[in-house]
Amino acid sequence: MSTGITRLSSVAARVGLIAWIGVPTLVSLAGLLIYVAPIRFFQLYIPMPLFPLMAIFFWAMARPKMMPPIVVFGIGITQDLLTGGALGLWAFTYLFSYAVMTTQSDAFSGRGGGMLWAGFGLMVILTVFAAAIAGIISSGWKVDWVHLLAQGASTFFVYPLAGKLYGSLLRSTQQSRRLYDFHHGRLS
Amino acid sequence: MAIRRSTNPFAWLRGFWTRASLVFLILISVVMLAVNNRSGDEIAFEGIRQIADEVASPAMQVIDMPLSGVQNVGKWFSSYWNSAARLRELEKENRNLRQWETLSNALQGKILSYEELLNMQGETDINVVSARIIAEARGPFVRSGLLRVGRIKGIVVGQAVVNPQGVIGRIVTVGRNSSRVLFLNDLNSRVPVTFEGAVSRAIISGNNTRFPELTYIGEGFVPEIGTKISTSGDDGVLPSGLLVGEVIAPKREGGKFQVKLYANLAIVDFVQVLSRPPVITPEQEIVEDNLLDAELGDVAQ
C-alpha cells in the first residue's frame, strides 16, 4: 500500500518537474494568445502589451535555464505566424533583447521590485529599438512608430502585475521541483 | 517580487552551445527577415503560415468565446443606456430609407430593362460567406485578421472582405478551415479603386496608419476632397462598386492624397467574404482548349 502511494507520489513529482520546465513556455504562449485576441475596451482599441516579452524577461532574470534561446526563438516565430507578419521579426527582436538582458542579469537579480521594473523599462526600450530595426529590414521605413511606442509603454505599465503572477507561478512550480528532487534522493 | 540571486548568473551563458545557439538563432531570424524583404508581393513562407493559422484558429475561437461574451455585456449596457435616443434616430432614418427604397426599386427596374434592351452581360453572381474575426494583428508592422472559414467554404486568395460600412480588406492566405484577411491599411495592401463621378482610377496603398494613401492616380486627375471611392474591379478579383471611403487632404503640402475608410478597422467584428467565380481570360481559355484537344487526341489514338 505504502509502495503504491510512494509510486503515485513519484509520478506526481515527475509531472511537477515537467510543469516546472514547461511553465515559462506555456505562460509565454498563453500571453501570446491574449496578445492576438481581438480585445477592445468600450469599443476602443488599445495597443496590446507584449506579454511574451514580460515572460521572457522574468524567466531570463529569475531562471535562465528555464528560458533557453530556442524557446525564445520559438515564441518569436509563433508570434510572427499568429500575427501574419514578417517571419523572423519578433524572433529577432526577442533574441536580441534576450541576449542583452542575460548579460545584464547580474545588475538586476536579487534587487527590489522597483529596480527590476526600471530594468524592464530599459529592456522595453531596447526591444522597441530592435523591433524597429527588424521592421526596417523586412519592410523598409514604413513602421507605425506611434503604435510601436504606445505598445512599448503599455508593456512597461502592465509588467508589475504580470511579474507578480509569474512570481507566484515560479514559487508554486519550485515546490514541485523540490518534491521531484526529494523522490530522487537529491534533497534530504 | 523577490528574485533569487544566483551564485553565478553567467555560468549558463558561458556554455558554448548556449552561446552558439543564441548567435545561430539570431542569424536564422535575420535570414528570414531578408527573405521576407526579397519576396516582394509574394507571401513568404506561405505553407508554414497556412499550417499555423489552421492550428491557431480553434484555440483562438475558444479564447474568443468568453471575450466576446464580456464585450457583448458592455455593448448591451451602452445600447440600453442610449436606447431612447437611438430609437428616435432610427425612426428618422427609417422614414428616409423608405423614400430611398421606393426610388431605388424604380431605378433598379429601369436599369434591368435597359440591360435587357442592350443585351448587357452583367456582373457574375456573388456568394457571401459571413464570419467573425477571431484573432487580429494590429502591431506596428502588420494589420490582419484571422477568420474561422477556409477552403471548405469556398474561400480563395484575393476575395474581398467587407462589413456593413464598407471594404475592410482581402484574403491573403487560405487554409482548410481558416483564412487570413489583410486589412486595407496594411503596408502590403494594394486595391484598385475608382472615384465617384469620374472615370479615373487609382490604387489605395496601405501605410500602417488609419488613412491609406492614394497612389497611381490617373494622369491629370486631381480628386476633390470628400469624393467617394469604390473598388474598380480592375484586378479581376474584387467586385466593382464596393464602397471603400472618401478622399481626404494630404498630410503635408505636395503629399499624397489619403483615404478616410468607411469601415472602422479598429473595431472589426463580423465580416462577409464576397466570393465570385474567377474571370477566365481568353489566353487561359486557349491553353485549356489546347490541353483538352491533346487529351482527346491521346484517347483517339
Side-chain angles (χ1 to χ4, degrees):
Chain A
M1 178 74 177
S2 65
T3 320
I5 290 170
T6 313
R7 198 169 290 165
L8 200 67
S9 178
S10 175
V11 171
R14 266 179 205 284
V15 172
L17 181 77
I18 293 165
W20 185 75
I21 295 166
V23 156
T25 312
L26 290 176
V27 165
S28 308
L29 291 176
L32 196 51
L33 291 178
I34 296 168
Y35 176 75
V36 293
I39 299 171
R40 286 166 213 104
F41 294 95
F42 301 105
Q43 300 291 297
L44 289 173
Y45 169 73
I46 54 154
M48 258 301 165
L50 291 165
F51 293 110
L53 178 71
M54 299 181 201
I56 292 168
F57 177 81
F58 180 86
W59 267 282
M61 291 290 122
R63 294 284 181 279
K65 278 182 185 171
M66 291 167 75
M67 186 59 78
I70 188 72
V71 171
V72 178
F73 178 75
I75 292 164
I77 288 291
T78 312
Q79 183 163 339
D80 292 327
L81 288 170
L82 286 182
T83 55
L87 210 60
L89 195 151
W90 285 109
F92 169 81
T93 303
Y94 289 152
L95 282 170
F96 181 80
S97 307
Y98 175 83
V100 178
M101 71 177 84
T102 45
T103 54
Q104 299 303 312
S105 63
D106 201 34
F108 299 110
S109 59
R111 310 265 180 179
M115 187 67 185
L116 207 64
W117 193 21
F120 182 69
L122 289 175
M123 226 35 77
V124 168
I125 293 169
L126 194 75
T127 305
V128 166
F129 174 72
I133 290 175
I136 290 164
I137 294 174
S138 65
S139 56
W141 284 92
K142 287 191 173 176
V143 176
D144 189 349
W145 299 102
V146 176
H147 195 289
L148 187 58
L149 292 173
Q151 199 164 43
S154 69
T155 308
F156 175 70
F157 288 115
V158 171
Y159 182 73
L161 279 174
K164 274 195 198 310
L165 176 74
Y166 299 154
S168 56
L169 268 174
L170 183 66
R171 278 190 292 280
S172 61
T173 50
Q174 262 175 339
Q175 284 169 359
S176 308
R177 175 65 198 262
R178 283 198 198 102
L179 186 66
Y180 179 84
D181 286 344
F182 176 74
H183 272 278
H184 290 79
R186 292 180 200 154
L187 202 73
S188 55
Chain B
M1 105 209 45
I3 299 293
R4 196 179 71 175
R5 181 184 280 275
S6 166
T7 50
N8 190 352
F10 292 103
W12 74 274
L13 200 63
R14 288 203 188 107
F16 171 76
W17 289 112
T18 312
R19 270 181 294 167
S21 68
L22 186 56
V23 172
F24 178 67
L25 292 170
I26 288 177
L27 282 175
I28 287 184
S29 310
V30 173
V31 169
M32 282 176 166
L33 283 172
V35 170
N36 278 293
N37 195 13
R38 287 176 72 90
S39 60
D41 287 344
E42 295 287 316
I43 293 166
F45 309 105
E46 196 179 352
I48 302 171
R49 287 178 194 282
Q50 280 175 7
I51 295 166
D53 284 348
E54 282 292 292
V55 173
S57 65
M60 288 317 303
Q61 201 172 23
V62 170
I63 289 178
D64 185 52
M65 273 182 217
L67 278 178
S68 59
V70 170
Q71 286 173 49
N72 284 342
V73 170
K75 273 185 207 168
W76 184 83
F77 270 112
S78 135
S79 64
Y80 185 76
W81 192 257
N82 305 317
S83 54
R86 274 190 59 74
L87 188 65
R88 278 196 296 275
E89 197 181 309
L90 287 171
E91 275 175 350
K92 191 180 165 191
E93 199 177 312
N94 197 31
R95 278 196 296 274
N96 284 336
L97 285 173
R98 276 182 195 283
Q99 290 172 0
W100 278 107
E101 189 188 13
T102 315
L103 187 67
S104 164
N105 285 339
L107 283 171
Q108 194 184 20
K110 204 183 255 185
I111 289 168
L112 284 174
S113 61
Y114 282 153
E115 281 186 355
E116 207 174 320
L117 275 171
L118 294 165
N119 192 22
M120 172 79 183
Q121 300 299 307
E123 291 268 335
T124 46
D125 288 340
I126 293 172
N127 295 321
V128 175
V129 179
S130 297
R132 190 162 191 271
I133 290 194
I134 51 168
E136 55 188 17
R138 297 177 186 281
F141 311 104
V142 69
R143 307 288 158 97
S144 69
L146 189 65
L147 303 175
R148 188 88 173 95
V149 287
R151 215 176 298 128
I152 286 180
K153 296 279 182 189
I155 309 295
V156 292
V157 171
Q159 286 172 344
V161 183
V162 300
N163 74 358
Q165 284 80 43
V167 180
I168 65 158
R170 64 186 167 86
I171 300 289
V172 283
T173 49
V174 182
R176 202 175 138 77
N177 286 304
S178 65
S179 51
R180 186 169 287 278
V181 49
L182 190 75
F183 293 147
L184 281 177
N185 58 349
D186 184 276
L187 191 67
N188 296 307
S189 172
R190 303 279 183 279
V191 172
V193 290
T194 184
F195 301 91
E196 186 187 44
V199 286
S200 194
R201 303 284 206 258
I203 302 276
I204 288 189
S205 306
N207 53 3
N208 275 354
T209 71
R210 279 168 60 206
F211 306 110
E213 293 169 347
L214 277 174
T215 53
Y216 302 105
I217 300 174
E219 212 172 298
F221 179 76
V222 181
E224 278 180 33
I225 308 300
T227 308
K228 284 182 181 171
I229 294 170
S230 56
T231 53
S232 66
D234 288 344
D235 52 1
V237 183
L238 299 185
S240 61
L242 299 173
L243 271 181
V244 176
E246 57 189 47
V247 179
I248 55 171
K251 259 185 184 171
R252 57 181 185 278
E253 192 76 24
K256 285 175 182 163
F257 282 98
Q258 292 185 296
V259 180
K260 186 188 174 194
L261 301 170
Y262 287 138
N264 183 359
L265 296 182
I267 48 167
V268 181
D269 196 0
F270 284 98
V271 296
Q272 289 180 318
V273 185
L274 307 181
S275 66
R276 67 171 188 178
V279 179
I280 299 168
T281 61
E283 295 79 12
Q284 283 172 322
E285 271 186 28
I286 291 167
V287 171
E288 277 173 19
D289 286 349
N290 288 344
L291 283 171
L292 194 67
D293 288 346
E295 272 177 30
L296 286 173
D298 287 346
V299 171
Q301 279 173 11

